[in-house]
Amino acid sequence: MATGKRVGSPFLWPVEARLAALLPDLLVFRKPRGSEPELATAQGVLLGVHVMDVLCFGGDILNITGNVLLALWTVKQNQLSDIITLVAKCSLEIQEKFGIYHTREGQDLQLKIGLSAGRISQVVVGNEQRQYLLVTGRDVDDVQSAQRLAQANEIVLSWNCWKLCEQYMFEVEIMREDEAVKLRDMRTIYPFDFDEHFDKCLNYLPHYRASSDTLRTALELDPDSALEKTLRKHIMKNLLKKIDEGQPMEYISEFRTITMVLVSLEFHKTVWMLHFCHLIQEAALYISTVIETGGGQLIRIFMFEKGCMFLCGFGLPGDKKPDECTHALESSFSIFRFCWENLAEIKLVSVSITNGPVFCGMVGAVARHEYTVIGPKVSLVARMITAYPGVVSCDEVTYLRSMLPAYNFKKLPEKMMKNISNPGKMYEYLGHRRCIIFGKRHLARERNKNHPLLDREKELEAFRMAQQGCLHQKKGQAVLYEGGKGYGKSQLLAEINFLAQKEGHRVLPMKLKEADSMQCFYAIQTLMAIFFELDSCPAWYRQEHLHRQLHGMVEEPLHCLFNDLFFVKFPLSFKVSHMDDLARQRKIKECFFQVLQEAVRETPLIFLIDEAQHLDAASWKFLRALLSSVPVIIVMTLTPPFPLCGGAQHFLQSPQAILVPIMKLAVNSLLRMACWELRVVSIPQELQIYILHRCLGNPLYCEILCQDLLSKDILLFHDIHKEEEENSKWETLSANAMKSTVYSISPASSEQDQELYFCTVKDDVNLDTVPLPPLLKEIAVNQLDQLSPEEQLLIKCAAVIGHYFHIDLLQHLLPGWDKQKLLRVLRALVDMHLLRWYSKTQKLPAEPISVPSSVEIIEQTKEKKKLSDAGYPIRLQEELSVPQTEVLEFGAPLLREAAWELWPKAQQIALHLECACFLQDLACRCESCHGGDFVPFHRFAICSTKTSRRIPRFCSYKSTGSVLTQVITDKLQLPSPQDSFQLQIEPSRSPEAFTSDYYRTEGEFLDTVNRRLSQTSPEDRLAVKPCHCEQILKSVLSPLTQHCLVIGENTCAFYYLLEAAAASLDLSDNYMAFFYLRKASSILDQPLAFSLLKKRKVKISQFEEATFCSLRSEVCFNMGQITLAKKLARQALRLLKRSFPWTWFGVLFQTFLEKYWHSCSLSQPPNNPSEKKKGLAILQQQVHCLSLLWQLYTLEATRSSRRFACLAALMQKNSAKEFAPDAQVVSTYVSLSQLSQNVGDREEWLHCEQIAIQKSSLCWFSRGGLLATAQLMQALAYTKLCLGRLECSIKLGFQAHDICRHLNRPALENLVLSVLFRSAFLKKKFDLCVHVLESQWALISQGCDVLGLACFYSACLDLLLYGKGSLCRPFGECLRFVRRYERSCVLTSRSNVMLGVHSSLAMWFAQDSQWELFKHHFSKARQLVKRTDASLFGSHGFVRFLECHVLMLQKMPEAVFMHIPPETHSQTLKYFKEFFSRCATCPVYHQWVSELKASVRRCRKRDPMPLTSITSPFDTCLTTIWVEGEFPEKELV
């Protein structure tokens, strides 16, 4: 019985019964390919299997530790032989069932078993708070010896067990006489029946529950408070907190890095049992006290013959502290010394320490489980005890992470360890020994000339102000920079050090450590040693050097005052010998002030002290006196939280000291830093998200993460200047995808010939599952363990959901939590700044942010909790019931990633499955879009109509219990048609506002538009709610794909990746669409295991394969990969049973069929609704692919391409006729009208537009219809512009923009603004042009779309040329953009846009008489002019090109003009003729081109032409264009 005293008499339980013991041990063979978490999880699962086997055979489990469990059968003496037979049979069945277990990570797990029988004793040691149950005796030692003698897959019996058993029943092999035998098998002896034998043994085991569902009587005990109080003493306190909190057992387990300490005590064999138990009690009390003081816990105590082992852990869940390895080493050495000095009869004391990842949690079965630690590091710490007896040994990881001086260690020789393949270097810890030396000058960081200091202008300004104050006021100044760990304080000091030395100041830098605060006057001692340059001179020369430094400033008899400070030996003078200690200290300070006063007269002096919170009290007092006496500058850094002594408080309150908070880096600065660390000018969007979510403005974290990415070799680097070419393979498009976006990070150095790179992430890498670097993970886990158990559990569950999470899903993962409790804990975490409410309107900060330290906030919050423990205010409860929003995000860096990594693999998969189940029903368009799939009718196309019943749910839910205990009855299923509640269902409204089903004229349509837009409320005007599809993509679809990938449901992951890609394309985010499709490609590229053929591991339907091709084709089209886009579009059509011809003959034949046969071959729609929607899904994809094809072919201005484009348009029109909804028909005819205008077919252009108007009567009652209306409005504005009706075009443009703002379609809005700008520009409303461009810039600058920016800068060049002083962007910015991206495939494929850009640049250089640059851009424009069409951009570019010709003929110098061949004029006239024939559908430019043509004719004789006629052409021609009326300028909102 425990006494609670340091030395007490443990209570011995005399056991009258005999016992058979079984000790199985798992061995790990082969080098693992996978991670240590997988190995630990596999070991825990297998130990649980053994537990069930033992319980089924009537045994019980005494304890489970590491890879070993001890099982007992308690019976009487005369029953032992029968029980041994039973245990032997149990062992054989376990070995047969287990065999060699092959894990998927490459490890082979094998089993060895030891058996023994005889008498044991049970002992309880500890105190009233914590107790441990031990078993001891000779037979306990025998079972351990038998297990050690056994090899893999062997069963060994101790000699005593062999003597007590029925020997004729067994086939054995004598291993060692009088020691052990090896059991091979049991003999089959007639009439022996094992079932009868088993029933017989059950009579000896009264606790066995043969007829009950439970295998242990302990599970059926009634509540007993006294028994519970006793049992609680045998459980660790951090585990008790979680049990009291009500956490399920499955949530308690974690995989984390801890420090293991194993203490082995071996006593002399002469010690008698009772004394031996007293010694164990004494050692246990001391060890537990020391370990708990250091932040650890005593986990388990093992007994062996005349000895015992104590297994301790530092950093267990809830106990993580900084400097964990240091505390473990110091505690171990204290225990080592105590045991040698205070325990009598001690023979040997050995201590081993390891640090590494282990499984900390529950192992076993439901009937019997135990909290333990499992992992390779646990095995290593046990082997080190045997390999290095009598010392305190540690592994290399502990040695490095302790950060202790090397002279405290001694390297140990390498030794072979059983079952340990590569243990690494080992060290003996010699204890903390102080070396007699002062510190040296150094800073934590050195200045990197290639990495400028970011966002620290205000902080540097504070230092400059201190410099000026010290110079003018002749008083000391102090600047203290306060900021969290990793905020860049040391980097700031390095910059100040550089700037000060550059200005000629003398700088004395030093960095302090935590241990330095315990040494009185250490900081000043080190600073003055640096001042006297003693830190860099040899020890033998130190005294002479100091003598020279002091000569003339300090009297010779006073030199001996510095003997102890600087470790010199000046003779003791008579004057000093008569001073007491206080007088000596006072005199030393006076001498220091005198020396420093003389020094600053020659050179300004600056002290730099990093980590100044570790200053000792005497040093603070000295520095405060120094400020008031000597004009020096002291610059310090402080890392909160730090306890400040009185001297520090007085120093901070000094008027000469200023405290400057260090702010977090802004988003742009953090990304710029990441680019510099990776030595690139651009990083992909997924990598930006990876860095921003993990760093949250912390530069140190950004630096470590970037170094970790480089070390793991998961990035690919590409030369930015390499010529971009069209790619024929989808798999190699990553570099092209990055080049299709804008990079805005300037290179770190300014060298002109510097090679510039950008990076991409390898296709097979999932950044969401990349583990954190160990250093960063330790920081985050330290922060997590400061929280309460309920707060930790919430953070861990939220981490599984993702960076953003919904409170309903979070509550679903938290068993037994009501909404009130959830909101209360959330509020506490938000107050600590660990979480924050998410608002879709919030933007990433562009400026640095000052945020208090998380640790400090946590401490403050805990204090508030203590003050409010008297009762929770009712008013606050009411506030919690109404949160600001239902979505939150993580607000502390690294916390989410570290918490996610703590989950063992099995729990991770189970929780991700629950998240997927919850989110699946939300994975559809928003309510405003009437639900449905982002890929139209996706779920209908992949589900067979024969299976009309609802697909079963993922889990069979129980009324109580955690989600991890639910029985999984089926895999994650794809959504079924029955899951859809609002799939593509248009609202049924009668068109009351219309007198007929169709508009008869354009006027009726425009009257309806005006009537709708004249209403006051946007909801009333447009009859729709705001679209939330972007939030659904971010918070549902993207996390859902991640959940599916983690749980291995690749088919479902592929489905949702297609949905996410389609949603991204709807939102004009082409790069993220490429990102999702690339993930989908990696899923399809996974081959079947052990398959010689390249068969896909994931089976998808033909429709999904076609959709996959269609989406990739659209992405390639947006990236300028025209050839690959055509190939994929054709492939998609072939899969959709709608082939597209390859040859001109095929085009002719298919055109004939489409014109004359297609209308006769239309099939009747099926009556089955599901079949009908499946047909609509296929039809939608066909129309989409055909639309892509004609857009692709129109990019090539050849006759053959025009034939293909017209055929694709014809096929699209015929397919669209099968649509039931009018919205799709309207959109189709709008796009066909655009094609007709591009190819110059005026009649078909206006005809298609009129049909679209007629069919748009019902388009106001749904978002899809409203989108079609906006497209039609844009087309009408475009038409009026081309026809020269500019005021009407402007009016329609404003109305179209008003509708687009509510649709969340950036691409369409950008197109509307482009048309609106062109109309305002031709109307000479340049102020309106600038306003339109500002709105366009706000729209396209966030997406970094190269094509959109090219159109934007083309418009800016027009304003620069003709805008009469109106300026949106300077010419230099426009030119830099063109030079940087003109070789991009996106722009090289868009001849219409680039013709206008190069022609405008040529005109600019011609006006500036830079004829060489003019020729460069003019030649490029000449190459492009043959590839343009009659579209607005094409016609505009052609006009600019013709203006270049006129300028060349008008302004070119006579000497240059004489070298122009005579045919130049005739060639120019041919261009004019070609313009009128090609651009017949864009008459807005015809009059001006006619005047230009006339000017060319005059140029043949070099007739002078006024320059204003060229630079301001619209003054002379466009004033005569017919305009219906003036339109009042309105604001773009």
Side-chain angles (χ1 to χ4, degrees), residues 943-951 977-978:
C943 292
S944 174
T945 56
K946 296 179 181 179
T947 312
S948 59
R949 63 179 179 85
R950 182 177 178 85
I951 294 178
Q978 289 75 20

Side-chain angles (χ1 to χ4, degrees), residues 13-19 74-80 118-122:
W13 292 349
V15 180
E16 299 179 357
R18 299 286 174 165
L19 171 138
T74 306
V75 292
K76 296 181 179 179
Q77 175 70 33
N78 58 357
Q79 300 165 351
L80 270 180
R119 181 185 295 274
I120 66 168
S121 298
Q122 297 179 352

